[in-house]
Amino acid sequence: MECVFGLVGDGFALVAADTSAVHSILVHKSNEDKVMILDSHKLLGASGEAGDRVQFTEYIQKNVHLYEFRNGIPLATAAAANFTRGELALALRKNPYSVNILLAGYDKDVGASLYYIDYIATLHKVDKGAFGYGSYFALSMMDRHYHSGMSLEEAVDLVDKCIIEIRSRLVVAPPNFVIKIVDKDGAREYAWRESIKDAGVSAA
Amino acid sequence: MARYDRAITVFSPDGHLFQVEYALEAVRKGNAAVGVRGTDTIVLGVEKKSTPKLQDSRSVRKIVSLDTHIALACAGLKADARVLINRARIECQSHRLTVEDPVTVEYITRYIAGLQQKYTQSGGVRPFGLSTLIVGFDPDTGVPALYQTDPSGTFSAWKANATGRNSNSMREFLEKNYKETSGQETVKLAIRALLEVVESGGKNIEIAVMTKEHGLRQLEEAEIDAIVAEIEAEKAAAEAAKKAPSRDT
């Protein structure tokens, strides 16, 4: 079961997601990147139906880029979150998307922020959030260990604690995770946590 | 002739589309714009008419980005330009969304030209009154390209071209002086062409340089002034060299 979680630290925000692409009982791949770099200073971690996830997040990304070209400045994180939520809300009673999103961003005036957007277009600005079965464990760990203004080391340590809980306590636990961060220097991949590497083709 | 410019869908007896030709007139009245393609740099320049004292010049951007690797300058009706540019920007993102690839310069030029042509064959609308100069680097090959479109909807690729006011003089200058250039030399060639028809000085010229690595960069007034000074010095030196030998003989 897919898992996305994130938190806000001191001058940065962090989003982690599992990296398995699953179809019924088959794992297609275990290095599927579900945390999209929305623009230079925004991350979009998404979980949900595979088609919806990719289609919806790419649609949001292109519209965020269009705004930047039209207006000469990037969209603020709050604005991007509200736009995303609006699109989900519009589709909700017509042709809903089954996608849960954690949107993290850094703005010069506001600092780092994290938005929780679920598939029925709920929008909350939060310090920590999580989706999926893994959220039961991730949220509990974060409730216990999170405090505002964590350093990057402390935050990654907390993320690792969450991943350990998920791996050990969830019956169909995803083996691999990706961690991305966004701060004043931009959005970027921080690390992977792999317990299974996709095996290469063995020599004949 | 007046009978044939009412509805643009009507050809005149001698095969003219008068509305399109009138649109070209509007372009000829617009500010001068020049584009030069180098081996690794493409330069766009436009004439900046004197800004009214109270106007915020930053809100009047004449060279715009369509995407990270494509830029556009135009001559003619600026309001029409806004509409075309908006449609082109949407198309750039739409193309990225559907085929997961950035547009090539030719693709977006064909799109803009197609749009301009549509308005020469519809009822109740007039053509767009502008010609565009579109530059960029193709995403896969990295090859620089410069294209021009006009109100009729035709487009073609150029090594260097000019449009707008006095474009004929600028084009003549470019034909005489064009050679394969790169980097700063391309910028100088574009400025020299503009200076043929525009009052010299950074205040009256807007220059943007596109490179593969850094995308589009608008030059500061001070930078332009410096290059203009270089060009004037070179011109003066060339003049002096011409006069000197005749004095010896």
Side-chain angles (χ1 to χ4, degrees), chain B residues 46-117:
Chain B
V46 292
E47 164 192 12
K48 237 189 340 196
K49 275 177 262 199
S50 55
T51 28
K53 279 212 186 107
L54 294 173
Q55 186 181 75
D56 187 348
S57 55
R58 288 170 304 170
S59 65
V60 194
R61 271 276 91 108
K62 300 208 174 147
I63 304 174
V64 295
S65 272
L66 296 182
D67 202 342
T68 50
H69 61 303
I70 311 260
L72 176 149
C74 56
L77 268 49
K78 288 294 178 274
D80 287 3
R82 256 201 338 264
V83 173
L84 268 184
I85 289 167
N86 199 30
R87 299 283 295 272
R89 281 175 169 156
I90 293 174
E91 180 61 20
C92 284
Q93 294 305 313
S94 181
H95 187 274
R96 279 179 184 257
L97 186 61
T98 43
V99 307
E100 273 203 23
D101 244 350
V103 295
T104 58
V105 192
E106 203 233 342
Y107 177 92
I108 198 66
T109 305
R110 203 164 345 111
Y111 177 81
I112 292 174
L115 213 46
Q116 287 181 290
Q117 191 280 340

Side-chain angles (χ1 to χ4, degrees), chain B residues 192-205:
Chain B
R192 273 164 58 211
L194 256 185
L195 287 179
E196 292 284 304
V197 302
V198 172
E199 229 184 272
S200 106
K203 273 209 309 290
N204 306 310
I205 302 176

Side-chain angles (χ1 to χ4, degrees), chain A residues 10-200:
Chain A
D10 184 19
F12 71 94
L14 179 160
V15 176
D18 77 289
T19 59
S20 28
V22 170
H23 192 94
S24 144
I25 57 166
L26 176 68
V27 179
H28 278 301
K29 61 193 291 218
S30 34
N31 59 356
E32 168 84 359
D33 189 349
K34 299 177 192 171
V35 185
M36 167 182 278
I37 292 184
L38 200 58
D39 74 10
S40 63
H41 286 74
K42 288 184 199 42
L43 289 172
L44 192 74
S47 73
E49 232 170 87
D52 282 353
R53 173 172 55 81
V54 173
Q55 295 290 75
F56 184 71
T57 56
E58 284 189 353
Y59 172 73
I60 297 296
Q61 185 193 51
K62 299 317 183 224
N63 274 285
V64 168
H65 287 178
L66 181 61
Y67 180 95
E68 188 168 335
F69 281 109
R70 270 204 184 126
N71 298 282
I73 50 163
L75 206 51
T77 308
N82 277 281
F83 170 68
T84 306
R85 184 249 151 208
E87 289 296 309
L88 283 168
L90 273 174
L92 183 61
R93 294 183 198 269
K94 291 184 191 154
N95 198 1
Y97 294 103
S98 305
V99 198
N100 295 307
I101 285 169
L102 279 175
L103 197 157
Y106 183 89
D107 306 288
K108 251 201 285 217
D109 45 354
V110 175
S113 47
L114 181 67
Y115 288 86
Y116 171 105
I117 307 169
D118 77 8
Y119 72 104
I120 43 176
T122 309
L123 174 68
H124 289 303
K125 183 175 185 303
V126 293
D127 286 331
K128 51 186 166 4
F131 284 110
Y133 284 127
S135 70
Y136 290 114
F137 309 103
L139 280 172
S140 304
M141 286 311 275
M142 290 198 281
D143 281 345
R144 172 69 183 82
H145 295 287
Y146 178 88
H147 59 88
S148 65
M150 292 171 86
S151 72
L152 187 58
E153 290 72 35
E154 289 180 295
V156 174
D157 201 53
L158 177 51
V159 166
D160 281 329
K161 283 194 170 77
C162 296
I163 291 177
I164 290 172
E165 284 303 305
I166 293 169
R167 276 188 185 147
S168 58
R169 290 299 185 184
L170 193 53
V171 60
V172 265
N176 301 338
F177 287 80
V178 66
I179 305 171
K180 297 200 181 174
I181 57 172
V182 59
D183 60 17
K184 64 172 176 20
D185 300 320
R188 56 195 180 281
E189 195 176 281
Y190 178 81
W192 284 69
R193 298 286 187 248
E194 290 175 306
S195 61
I196 292 182
K197 267 202 158 62
D198 268 334

Side-chain angles (χ1 to χ4, degrees), chain B residues 18-210:
Chain B
F18 278 112
Q19 277 300 300
V20 176
E21 291 184 12
Y22 297 162
L24 281 155
E25 263 308 304
V27 170
R28 259 173 246 131
K29 291 204 166 42
N31 52 247
V34 70
V36 180
R37 184 190 82 193
T39 51
D40 61 356
T41 308
I42 328 173
V43 182
L44 281 173
V46 292
E47 164 192 12
K48 237 189 340 196
K49 275 177 262 199
S50 55
T51 28
K53 279 212 186 107
L54 294 173
Q55 186 181 75
D56 187 348
S57 55
R58 288 170 304 170
S59 65
V60 194
R61 271 276 91 108
K62 300 208 174 147
I63 304 174
V64 295
S65 272
L66 296 182
D67 202 342
T68 50
H69 61 303
I70 311 260
L72 176 149
C74 56
L77 268 49
K78 288 294 178 274
D80 287 3
R82 256 201 338 264
V83 173
L84 268 184
I85 289 167
N86 199 30
R87 299 283 295 272
R89 281 175 169 156
I90 293 174
E91 180 61 20
C92 284
Q93 294 305 313
S94 181
H95 187 274
R96 279 179 184 257
L97 186 61
T98 43
V99 307
E100 273 203 23
D101 244 350
V103 295
T104 58
V105 192
E106 203 233 342
Y107 177 92
I108 198 66
T109 305
R110 203 164 345 111
Y111 177 81
I112 292 174
L115 213 46
Q116 287 181 290
Q117 191 280 340
K118 235 182 274 216
Y119 282 70
T120 68
Q121 213 177 9
S122 299
V125 297
R126 63 163 176 80
F128 288 99
L130 71 148
S131 292
T132 69
L133 286 171
I134 300 165
V135 300
F137 288 87
D138 273 347
D140 306 307
T141 58
V143 171
L146 164 67
Y147 283 84
Q148 190 210 33
T149 73
D150 64 31
S152 65
T154 49
F155 72 94
S156 49
W158 294 75
K159 295 184 194 157
N161 201 359
T163 178
R165 230 182 354 201
N166 302 118
S167 58
N168 288 327
S169 328
M170 284 192 283
R171 208 172 302 118
E172 253 179 65
F173 174 87
L174 286 168
E175 279 176 13
K176 244 188 271 166
N177 294 282
Y178 180 83
K179 54 186 199 316
E180 287 281 315
T181 52
S182 68
Q184 196 68 334
E185 282 306 307
T186 320
V187 183
K188 270 210 209 139
L189 182 55
I191 296 182
R192 273 164 58 211
L194 256 185
L195 287 179
E196 292 284 304
V197 302
V198 172
E199 229 184 272
S200 106
K203 273 209 309 290
N204 306 310
I205 302 176
E206 197 177 298
I207 301 279
V209 182
M210 173 160 280

